[in-house]
Amino acid sequence: MTLLKVTSFLSCALFTCSALAATEAPHWSYQGETGPAHWAELSNSYEMCGLGHNQSPVDIAYGVDAALAPLELSYGQPGAAVVNNGHTVQVASSQDNTLTLDGDVYTLLQMHFHAPSEHTVDGRQFPLEAHLVHANKEGDLAVVSVMFEEGEQNAVFDGLVASLPSSAGDTAEIDGGIDFAQVLPEDQEYFRLNGSLTTPPCTEGVRWLVMKAPQSLSSDQMTAFAQAIGDDNNRPIQPRNARVVIE
């Protein structure tokens, strides 16, 4: 799958939930008969949500020391607009922002949020988790995950928080933009594991890079995200099976 195709796929089928996507893909949600327990039943294309053995998210309870290389990030272009797609709030990225992983270049497609967090660390769930979704030219995916805990106000998020659209389908310009590089913590140690998309079709083969250090947001900032997202939008923890987490 080319980068153009995977960008369109992620934008239309998974995250932005446009009118076109709504007519072509079965409706899914986080509650009731279309919630996570039933995703695999909604469409043959969603069967991996029930049959997969490397599904995300997981509890990161321990890792194997593998002396991971530092993240190679080149985030130079800020995010300018945020959309509420009915499942989450999402900030699009230009192709100027990249992650180099195992010698391969992955372009940042978008950043979106889950409240509460999808992954847990040693059983601890955080009030918010950001996913920075990247794709290489073959369409392989790599996601950088950042946890957020309640604490000091984070000025990096002031413009985004003030712009968060509260209704599905609404888009807003972010005053001053948001610097993707500053979304990540200063300490960039991370866990790495293989997993899947955490939304239908739950495609496996996703490279997950979960930052160890959480970022801080104030109580008001946390509340703004929760209100914009609406109902909890975290998929339940999935079995790790034989997967190894390295750090």
Side-chain angles (χ1 to χ4, degrees), residues 1-12 93-99 104-110 133-142:
M1 186 181 290
T2 66
L3 179 55
L4 177 61
K5 287 181 180 178
V6 79
T7 302
S8 177
F9 172 70
L10 288 174
S11 296
C12 294
S93 171
S94 74
Q95 293 194 16
D96 295 328
N97 300 312
T98 62
L99 161 71
D104 202 359
V105 176
Y106 291 75
T107 298
L108 177 63
L109 304 179
Q110 48 94 345
V133 182
H134 307 71
N136 66 9
K137 62 184 179 180
E138 286 79 30
D140 301 320
L141 300 177

Side-chain angles (χ1 to χ4, degrees), residues 36-37 39 48-62 118-120 193-198 202 204 208 235-245:
W39 286 350
M48 192 60 67
C49 301
L51 298 178
H53 294 285
N54 293 300
Q55 290 290 291
S56 297
V58 298
D59 178 47
I60 302 173
Y62 52 87
E118 297 200 297
H119 290 87
T120 57
L193 71 157
N194 291 326
S196 73
L197 295 174
T198 65
C202 306
E204 296 190 342
W208 280 93
R235 186 189 190 191
I237 293 295
Q238 303 296 301
R240 260 180 65 170
N241 296 322
R243 277 177 287 175
V244 175
V245 176

Side-chain angles (χ1 to χ4, degrees), residues 77-81 91-93 97 174 176-180:
Q77 187 68 29
V91 180
S93 171
N97 300 312
I174 302 171
I178 184 165
D179 186 341
F180 293 111

Side-chain angles (χ1 to χ4, degrees), residues 68-105:
L68 289 172
L71 290 181
E72 293 185 56
L73 299 168
S74 179
Y75 290 171
Q77 187 68 29
V82 57
V83 61
N84 184 323
N85 61 36
H87 294 308
T88 186
V89 288
Q90 174 183 302
V91 180
S93 171
S94 74
Q95 293 194 16
D96 295 328
N97 300 312
T98 62
L99 161 71
T100 301
L101 186 65
D102 301 331
D104 202 359
V105 176

Side-chain angles (χ1 to χ4, degrees), residues 13 15 20 28 33 62 67 129 145 151 162 181 196 205-206 214-215 220 233 242:
F15 298 111
L20 176 60
W28 59 269
E33 295 182 356
Y62 52 87
E129 179 177 355
S145 168
S196 73
V206 178
Q215 286 279 57
D220 288 346
N233 69 340

